Amino acid sequence: MNKNSKSPTKRPIRVLFVDDHLGFPGGVVHGCTTYHLNIQPAFDRSRVIPFMAILRPYHPAAKALAELGTDVIFFSREKWDPRALVDLIKLIHKLDIDVVHANGSKSHLLGRIAAMFTKTKVIIHLHFDYKPRPFWLSRILAKKTAKAITVSNVLRQQAVDDFAIPAERAQTIYNPIDVARFANPAVDARSRIRQEFELGETQSVITVCSRITTQPDKGQLASIRMFAKLCERPVDAVLMFVGDGPARSECEKLAQTLGVEDRVRFAGQRNDMPDILAAADIQLVPSMCDEAFGYVAIEPMCAKRPVIASNLGGTGEALGNGERGFLVNMKDVDSVVDVCERLITQPDIAEEKIERAWDFASKLTIDVHIKQLYDVYDDIVTNSSSNAIGNTK
């Protein structure tokens, strides 16, 4: 693009996605990695050329991204290594970047400072709930932020209140999903997955799909305590954890202590979530912390599986405040057990919620999301009158 031109048609907009990391040890990924795997191959390179920079060391998810057409540059810096800022400034200059699209708390900070030094437009993308520190710096950087994209209206309000982003520059764009992939699992998926994990054909399978951790608390321990009480009811059910993480051994020990280890499965990290959900009957989202707008809530909607979820953060928004799923308080164990038992013994009570969930989630396509990003990029690149940082390149 001509440095002084307002027209986005002169050349493709060059966007640098900046992330703190791509996942955790052992190849474990998080929601933001899933987000990139969904969107990166969908960009029309005649309109937007994406690049990716990761502040922390290499993660194997980079291989999948490279195969999808986006090379990933790793700075391999430790958590608060200031040299990452110098790396970022150099890379913005080297790649002649038009827009910095920052994801993650450190990326929000360093991305905006680097954009200030390079006079580049910058977007912060809030994928999760956190409080910016220090507040005074957040307010200064808010003036240098062209746009805040949030994955839920809950986070949009946080962008305004805690990040001091003007309301007109904060926009909710829901996470996209590969709808067809989850709506059309392998024909033999249900029987094959159930055979793999020694699940009976008539057993009800409750899945919990998340990183297994207590910091933040994703609710796996609470799920096991709830499930132990469910096992006292006249139902034949299995609880299956999909994912891995530092609290797995603690969960395994609790299942043994409560005497339900033979009815609990740990599937580990999986890349076949549509097939897993095809084998499931209920998706439980038991987080004890505020979630933004997790894939674990919308993926089962596309698979037409009922969702039971903690009514925290953006999860309630994803479930339409209860119209598209069952919202619970995981601390009220008996009420959660009651909901699970009713869904197992009377599955037809979920039919209307499942249909409303499908109608909502099936519209969260990658194509729609990419169009929304194009509109944002075009707007901030051509809007030289904005009081946000950066002149139009």
Side-chain angles (χ1 to χ4, degrees):
M1 185 178 298
N2 185 297
K3 296 290 184 180
N4 298 313
S5 172
K6 292 186 179 181
S7 173
T9 63
K10 296 297 182 182
R11 75 165 191 182
I13 298 173
R14 300 169 72 83
V15 179
L16 178 63
F17 290 87
V18 184
D19 287 66
D20 296 3
H21 52 79
L22 272 183
F24 305 99
V28 176
V29 300
H30 47 50
C32 202
T33 311
T34 301
Y35 174 75
H36 284 300
L37 290 169
N38 280 335
I39 71 164
Q40 292 298 331
F43 283 114
D44 177 353
R45 266 56 176 182
S46 70
R47 291 197 62 176
V48 168
I49 300 178
F51 303 88
M52 286 190 67
I54 308 298
L55 305 181
R56 302 295 293 279
Y58 176 82
H59 187 278
K63 181 179 179 182
L65 285 164
E67 291 172 350
L68 293 172
T70 301
D71 289 329
V72 184
I73 300 161
F74 290 88
F75 293 162
S76 298
R77 302 298 188 187
E78 293 304 316
K79 192 171 184 178
W80 289 113
D81 190 332
R83 291 176 294 179
L85 176 59
V86 178
D87 296 335
L88 193 51
I89 291 171
K90 288 181 178 178
L91 188 62
I92 291 170
H93 282 306
K94 179 181 177 181
L95 298 177
D96 194 17
I97 294 300
D98 299 303
V99 177
V100 172
H101 188 144
N103 307 276
S105 56
K106 288 81 178 176
S107 299
H108 292 161
L109 176 63
L110 298 185
R112 288 189 285 180
I113 295 174
M116 182 170 61
F117 278 107
T118 58
K119 290 183 167 45
T120 305
K121 294 294 181 72
V122 61
I123 296 166
I124 61 170
H125 197 153
L126 275 65
H127 294 268
F128 57 91
D129 175 32
Y130 81 95
K131 301 292 184 182
R133 296 287 190 272
F135 285 117
W136 63 266
L137 181 56
S138 179
R139 276 150 178 74
I140 291 173
L141 293 175
K143 299 176 182 178
K144 315 298 183 181
T145 306
K147 193 84 171 181
I149 297 174
T150 63
V151 300
S152 66
N153 290 323
V154 171
L155 286 189
R156 181 184 180 276
Q157 192 59 52
Q158 185 183 15
V160 174
D161 295 341
D162 295 340
F163 288 75
I165 302 295
E168 66 273 13
R169 281 199 254 134
Q171 179 180 351
T172 297
I173 301 179
Y174 290 138
N175 282 332
I177 186 170
D178 187 343
V179 175
R181 179 169 174 257
F182 285 89
N184 299 284
V187 175
D188 66 340
R190 186 173 178 87
S191 60
R192 175 168 43 79
I193 296 296
R194 283 180 169 247
Q195 183 177 13
E196 178 182 352
F197 291 100
E198 299 179 348
L199 305 171
E201 291 183 7
T202 61
Q203 281 186 307
S204 296
V205 177
I206 303 170
T207 47
V208 177
C209 306
S210 176
R211 185 171 186 243
I212 304 179
T213 177
T214 56
Q215 296 181 347
D217 190 348
K218 293 293 187 177
Q220 286 94 353
L221 293 173
S223 299
I224 294 171
R225 295 188 187 99
M226 180 281 298
F227 183 69
K229 286 203 168 188
L230 179 64
C231 289
E232 297 173 2
R233 306 281 181 94
V235 296
D236 186 10
V238 172
L239 179 65
M240 186 160 75
F241 293 106
V242 184
D244 216 331
R248 174 169 173 167
S249 62
E250 188 176 357
C251 289
E252 291 172 335
K253 289 177 183 177
L254 180 61
Q256 293 174 353
T257 299
L258 297 179
V260 293
E261 69 273 19
D262 61 329
R263 295 173 69 174
V264 176
R265 305 288 190 275
F266 291 87
Q269 184 74 15
R270 303 284 296 205
N271 296 317
D272 57 348
M273 282 307 304
D275 290 357
I276 292 288
L277 290 173
D281 298 290
I282 298 168
Q283 173 89 321
L284 177 63
V285 185
S287 292
M288 309 293 279
C289 58
D290 285 349
E291 294 286 354
F293 191 84
Y295 283 102
V296 293
I298 60 175
E299 288 173 349
M301 292 181 185
C302 290
K304 293 196 171 183
R305 294 295 182 266
V307 181
I308 303 172
S310 298
N311 191 11
L312 294 172
T315 304
E317 185 177 333
L319 268 62
N321 296 318
E323 292 187 356
R324 298 189 285 265
F326 298 83
L327 293 172
V328 297
N329 177 357
M330 286 300 296
K331 294 181 181 179
D332 187 353
V333 177
D334 289 335
S335 68
V336 182
V337 171
D338 287 343
V339 173
C340 288
E341 183 181 18
R342 285 173 56 217
L343 277 175
I344 290 170
T345 59
Q346 307 171 59
D348 57 313
I349 67 172
E351 288 179 359
E352 289 187 10
K353 291 182 187 289
I354 289 172
E355 288 306 314
R356 285 194 290 265
W358 164 255
D359 186 60
F360 171 75
S362 63
K363 295 181 175 66
L364 301 178
T365 66
I366 295 169
D367 286 345
V368 168
H369 187 86
I370 290 292
K371 171 62 167 59
Q372 291 172 311
L373 290 183
Y374 287 158
D375 290 344
V376 169
Y377 297 152
D378 288 345
D379 178 60
I380 67 172
V381 167
T382 60
N383 186 6
S384 60
S385 64
S386 171
N387 62 353
I389 188 65
N391 298 316
T392 303
K393 290 187 175 182

